[in-house]
Amino acid sequence: MTGSAVYDLMFQSFSDEEVYELYNPYWSWLLRPWRVSGEEPAQTAARVTPEMAADWYGAAAGLTQQSLDDGQGGMWEYSDAERAYWTDLRSSVPEPIEYGYSGGWGNVVDCAAFLVFPILAACVTLAPAFSFEYQSGADAVVLATRRGRSTLVAAKVVAGLAYATAYFALCAGIIVGVSLAFYGAEGFGLSIQSMALTSPYPLTAGQAALATVGLMYAACLGFACLTLALSSRTPSTLAVFLADVVLVLLTGLVPSAGVGALERVLALFPINFANFSVLFSALESYPLGPAVLDLVGMVLLVYAALVLVSTPVAVVSFRRRQVA
């Protein structure tokens, strides 16, 4: 029978309340290791024998191997090192896995993508930091002062990063606070597998939510430093603004077209890695010789490097500015 036929039959055989109970998300989660695409939970349950159910943890761990064999729909071939990395990570998931309610933390994760907008707003605000002084001619006055090429330029960078941090913290606090106020803070210690059984991470629901916000903050700092560097190199504030919009927003509209390498590059942008499935379930890995980094590690590496490179560029470029 097709899934739709089974669904209709359920309503013919049971009351609405009984059907809704049978379609409780818990049963779908519990049957996830054996689910086939397009199959109704009742069909899956009919195939699961007591012997299969007794090895539920083994079947749940097998989801990682299925994902590795699938290779993200055939667009990525995992190396032996990558397969070992994900297999070891999955084996570190503590048991038993406790299913429960973690609506507040789940909503934080679901709303994390909205933090792209404060990132963009911070960048737009910082775009004129140096370029406007070039346009207005104020650079000639500033750089002529005794501390214009030393303390003042460093102070501008520090103030810009402090502003970006404060603004991001305010917006993140609103998202986390509202989510926990309306949905509750229960379930912080529940396994992340209660949210997505396919996730190989040994994290709790609360840790996953806070990690997502933390990664968005790392991206905010990285883009803030990049904005300051671009602003110090050009008198065009509009050019800096357009670069920020393209990198922060429009990267979410670029299709990977089934190219695994491109898909991994796009996953590093905040509008993409803010997605829970991309960050914690998609098995995005980056082989660097014998070492392997997952998406979490690669995001931290990329944006830390962006901060370390862009900050000196901003300072040195403004200091060396030649004025009449």
Side-chain angles (χ1 to χ4, degrees):
M1 297 178 67
T2 63
S4 59
V6 170
Y7 185 78
D8 293 337
L9 183 61
M10 296 287 285
F11 277 96
Q12 296 175 19
S13 305
F14 302 98
S15 67
D16 290 354
E17 292 76 11
E18 291 172 323
V19 172
Y20 295 144
E21 176 59 28
L22 291 170
Y23 278 87
N24 186 302
Y26 172 69
W27 302 114
S28 296
W29 176 82
L30 197 63
L31 295 168
R32 176 63 182 85
W34 304 283
R35 192 181 69 195
V36 176
S37 179
E39 191 175 60
E40 293 294 313
Q43 293 173 288
T44 306
R47 292 190 295 100
V48 178
T49 65
E51 292 75 19
M52 294 167 64
D55 188 34
W56 186 85
Y57 281 100
L63 292 173
T64 298
Q65 298 304 315
Q66 293 177 21
S67 297
L68 292 172
D69 293 338
D70 179 65
Q72 295 184 317
M75 71 176 179
W76 186 260
E77 184 175 350
Y78 291 96
S79 65
D80 292 340
E82 289 176 283
R83 296 181 72 94
Y85 175 85
W86 290 116
T87 301
D88 291 344
L89 191 65
R90 179 71 199 207
S91 65
S92 66
V93 173
E95 296 178 3
I97 297 174
E98 183 180 358
Y99 183 87
Y101 176 79
S102 57
W105 302 108
N107 195 67
V108 171
V109 174
D110 292 339
C111 293
F114 286 110
L115 292 173
V116 168
F117 295 103
I119 291 175
L120 183 61
C123 291
V124 170
T125 308
L126 295 176
F130 296 107
S131 59
F132 181 75
E133 294 191 355
Y134 299 158
Q135 291 178 11
S136 63
D139 59 325
V141 177
V142 172
L143 294 173
T145 62
R146 186 161 67 98
R147 299 183 182 275
R149 295 184 184 271
S150 56
T151 307
L152 184 58
V153 63
K156 285 175 69 70
V157 172
V158 171
L161 297 182
Y163 159 74
T165 297
Y167 184 65
F168 181 89
L170 174 63
C171 296
I174 292 173
I175 288 178
V176 174
V178 171
S179 295
L180 299 184
F182 280 89
Y183 294 96
E186 306 99 300
F188 181 93
L190 292 178
S191 300
I192 191 177
Q193 285 71 34
S194 66
M195 302 168 68
L197 191 57
T198 55
S199 176
Y201 285 89
L203 298 173
T204 67
Q207 289 171 342
L210 296 180
T212 304
V213 174
L215 291 175
M216 296 297 283
Y217 173 62
C220 181
L221 283 184
F223 277 112
C225 290
L226 177 62
T227 299
L228 291 173
L230 293 175
S231 180
S232 71
R233 300 293 298 176
T234 176
S236 175
T237 302
L238 179 60
V240 179
F241 170 72
L242 290 177
D244 287 331
V245 170
V246 170
L247 293 174
V248 177
L249 274 185
L250 298 187
T251 46
L253 303 177
V254 178
S256 63
V259 180
L262 176 59
E263 196 272 339
R264 274 156 173 70
V265 172
L266 293 174
L268 296 172
F269 291 93
I271 199 168
N272 294 321
F273 71 69
N275 185 300
F276 177 88
S277 62
V278 172
L279 189 58
F280 294 115
S281 297
L283 306 189
E284 301 278 1
S285 51
Y286 301 79
L288 304 175
V292 175
L293 287 180
D294 61 2
L295 181 56
V296 174
M298 198 63 178
V299 165
L300 291 174
L301 177 63
V302 167
Y303 288 103
L306 195 59
V307 170
L308 294 176
V309 172
S310 299
T311 305
V313 169
V315 173
V316 172
S317 296
F318 189 68
R319 281 178 178 174
R320 295 181 177 178
R321 175 74 174 177
Q322 298 300 316
V323 294

